[in-house]
């Protein structure tokens, strides 16, 4: 986002982790095929309808922000919403809403997302708060940048960062 890019398709398949050393990782975002580049960094809303040549909305329904689904325009805050969906998926191994693309899209517009703690009661409350903030239907209520989310995640997860994965995901 600091470089004026709105990705518009943040999802687990487009995020890679690169281990630098023990407990130190770098997140890499991949596949900028439908990204919007705004060199001014002003993040003005992108387009009405945002249709591809085949008439499909841009993005993956399971990870799309409400404003992206409505086609009313996206800013970096749509990517923040998508990041919340990815974080939820990483911990629960489930998408927030399930069903057909249209059903999922309508759920993103109207339904309250389930919490991580409803799926994994031993997760830190701070993690649930971060995801809930990212998944606000109103973009103005979401965290304003990914660095803010990264810092909050680091703080929220510090108590479980040294636990083996088998303790975190007991199933």
């Amino acid at each position: 986002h600091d470089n004026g890019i709105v990705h518009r398709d943040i999802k687990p398949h487009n995020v890679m982790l690169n281990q630098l050393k023990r407990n130190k990782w770098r997140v890499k975002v991949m596949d900028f095929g439908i990204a919007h580049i705004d060199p001014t960094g002003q993040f003005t809303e992108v387009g009405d309808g945002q249709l591809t040549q085949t008439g499909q909305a841009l993005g993956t329904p399971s990870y799309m922000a409400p404003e992206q689904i409505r086609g009313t325009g996206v800013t970096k805050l749509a990517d923040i919403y998508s990041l919340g969906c990815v974080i939820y998926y990483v911990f629960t191994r489930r998408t927030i809403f399930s069903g057909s693309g249209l059903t999922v899209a309508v759920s993103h517009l109207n339904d309250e997302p389930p919490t991580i703690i409803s799926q994994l009661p031993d997760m830190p409350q701070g993690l649930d708060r971060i995801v809930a903030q990212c998944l606000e239907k109103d973009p103005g209520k979401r965290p304003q940048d990914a660095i803010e989310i990264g810092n909050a995640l680091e703080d929220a997860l510090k108590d479980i960062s040294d636990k083996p994965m088998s303790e975190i995901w007991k199933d």
Side-chain angles (χ1 to χ4, degrees):
H1 295 140
D2 288 346
N3 293 315
I5 301 170
V6 179
H7 190 278
R8 300 196 288 184
D9 198 23
I10 300 289
K11 60 184 178 182
H13 288 89
N14 288 341
V15 178
M16 295 184 69
L17 293 176
N18 179 22
Q19 187 169 14
L20 302 175
K21 53 186 172 180
R22 183 170 164 32
N23 292 333
K24 289 290 182 186
W25 297 83
R26 176 180 297 144
V27 176
K28 293 190 174 215
V29 179
M30 312 297 282
D31 191 357
F32 287 79
I34 63 170
H36 173 73
I37 300 172
D38 179 1
T40 68
Q42 297 301 305
F43 297 108
T44 53
E45 290 188 354
V46 180
D48 288 327
Q50 304 166 14
L51 300 178
T52 65
Q53 291 178 3
T54 60
Q56 299 295 314
L58 292 177
T60 303
S62 292
Y63 301 93
M64 287 174 71
E67 63 272 22
Q68 194 171 0
I69 292 165
R70 280 188 217 100
T72 56
V74 296
T75 68
K76 67 179 182 175
L77 299 175
D79 284 350
I80 298 292
Y81 183 95
S82 299
L83 177 59
C85 295
V86 169
I87 296 167
Y88 182 92
Y89 180 83
V90 165
F91 284 93
T92 66
R93 292 184 271 171
R94 296 181 175 107
T95 57
I96 292 174
F97 301 114
S98 60
S100 70
L102 180 59
T103 301
V104 168
V106 170
S107 293
H108 278 290
L109 291 171
N110 300 314
D111 298 344
E112 285 302 310
T115 64
I116 288 177
I117 289 180
S118 70
Q119 306 293 317
L120 298 165
D122 295 334
M123 281 292 142
Q125 292 282 336
L127 176 63
D128 231 19
R129 259 191 314 277
I130 294 162
V131 172
Q133 291 168 348
C134 290
L135 297 177
E136 283 284 347
K137 305 286 187 212
D138 177 354
K141 293 181 180 177
R142 295 179 201 146
Q144 297 300 295
D145 64 55
I147 291 174
E148 179 184 341
I149 297 165
N151 291 336
L153 278 173
E154 190 172 357
D155 187 50
L157 298 174
K158 67 183 172 202
D159 293 337
I160 66 167
S161 63
D162 289 330
K163 286 187 179 181
M165 289 296 177
S166 59
E167 280 185 41
I168 295 170
W169 289 291
K170 294 178 181 160
D171 65 348

